[in-house]
Amino acid sequence: MIAADLVKNGGRIIYEESFQSGSSPEYLEISKRVLNSNPDTILILGSSFDSAMFSQQFYKAGKQVPIYLSLWAMNNDLILQGGNSVEGVYIPSLLDTDSQNPAYLNFRESYLKKYGAEPTFAAIYAYEAAMILFDAMETEKSLEPETIKAAIIKKETHQGLQDKIIIDQYGDASRTLYHYIIQDGQFKKVD
């Protein structure tokens, strides 16, 4: 939800601070400033590592404030680096980790066999992007970027590994959004 939507729906941003990922931000100092604002919810827009480091600081401070993370933080590194501090953290995702779609299950099995690990969102998105690209190239019998782009946009609805992917007139994609919580060191889908 963007800030304008939050305010429109009665919410209020009481504190906001940016940090430079990868530059060893002062996790403790930033966390203290956040907690001093007495938030009723914390939203961290950061990588899995940064989110784990901030979660650890909030956990050590003993604050029981709901924490929401960005979807790109949802990977096993978050749980490995965050440990108990990320228990109960909420994360949106565009992937259904419980998907029973045969295309996804086949992809997952092949990925596990080749790489020995669960496919990441980046691997799934890259595979789906290639599927959409190859489909447009085959349909148009062309390698011209503008022709392929127009074909992808014109088709609008594309079948991904799990769900349909809708691409609008500007080339922006819409997908089903899933909600997760970390419980017992696992991502659990919240209905």
Side-chain angles (χ1 to χ4, degrees):
M1 180 182 320
I2 60 173
D5 288 339
L6 177 69
V7 171
K8 184 174 72 175
N9 290 309
R12 187 167 69 96
I13 297 173
I14 60 170
Y15 185 81
E16 183 177 350
E17 184 166 337
S18 62
F19 62 93
Q20 181 83 28
S21 183
S23 67
S24 298
E26 295 291 328
Y27 297 110
L28 177 59
E29 294 306 315
I30 293 171
S31 298
K32 284 179 182 178
R33 289 191 293 271
V34 169
L35 292 175
N36 284 339
S37 70
N38 294 316
D40 58 8
T41 302
I42 297 172
L43 171 63
I44 303 170
L45 301 176
S47 68
S48 58
F49 179 79
D50 290 323
S51 297
M53 295 302 104
F54 281 118
S55 294
Q56 286 179 10
Q57 297 307 317
F58 298 136
Y59 182 78
K60 287 191 273 186
K63 276 294 193 175
Q64 299 298 318
V65 176
I67 297 174
Y68 291 81
L69 304 180
S70 58
L71 62 95
W72 60 87
M74 186 177 168
N75 61 54
N76 287 333
D77 290 341
L78 174 67
I79 294 170
L80 292 172
Q81 295 163 343
N84 288 336
S85 72
V86 295
E87 284 289 315
V89 167
Y90 298 95
I91 307 171
S93 179
L94 298 173
L95 298 177
D96 178 3
T97 57
D98 300 326
S99 175
Q100 295 301 301
N101 186 313
Y104 171 71
L105 294 175
N106 289 336
F107 172 81
R108 181 178 176 269
E109 181 181 329
S110 296
Y111 193 94
L112 279 167
K113 187 182 291 183
K114 181 163 183 133
Y115 299 107
E118 289 289 332
T120 63
F121 73 89
I124 294 168
Y125 290 174
Y127 187 85
E128 290 175 329
M131 287 174 30
I132 291 169
L133 173 65
F134 297 152
D135 179 57
M137 290 168 55
E138 177 64 29
T139 300
E140 295 300 317
K141 307 286 189 234
S142 173
L143 299 178
E144 293 297 319
E146 289 304 316
T147 303
I148 294 168
K149 177 182 174 184
I152 291 170
I153 289 171
K154 180 181 177 187
K155 185 173 180 180
E156 189 178 328
T157 302
H158 304 267
Q159 182 58 53
L161 290 171
Q162 298 179 340
D163 293 314
K164 294 193 182 321
I165 302 167
I166 311 297
I167 300 182
D168 70 16
Q169 63 195 14
Y170 305 107
D172 295 325
S174 296
R175 309 170 68 114
T176 303
L177 185 64
Y178 301 94
H179 301 278
Y180 290 87
I181 187 170
I182 298 177
Q183 288 181 333
D184 301 321
Q186 300 288 317
F187 295 106
K188 305 279 183 174
K189 195 164 28 170
V190 179
D191 295 320

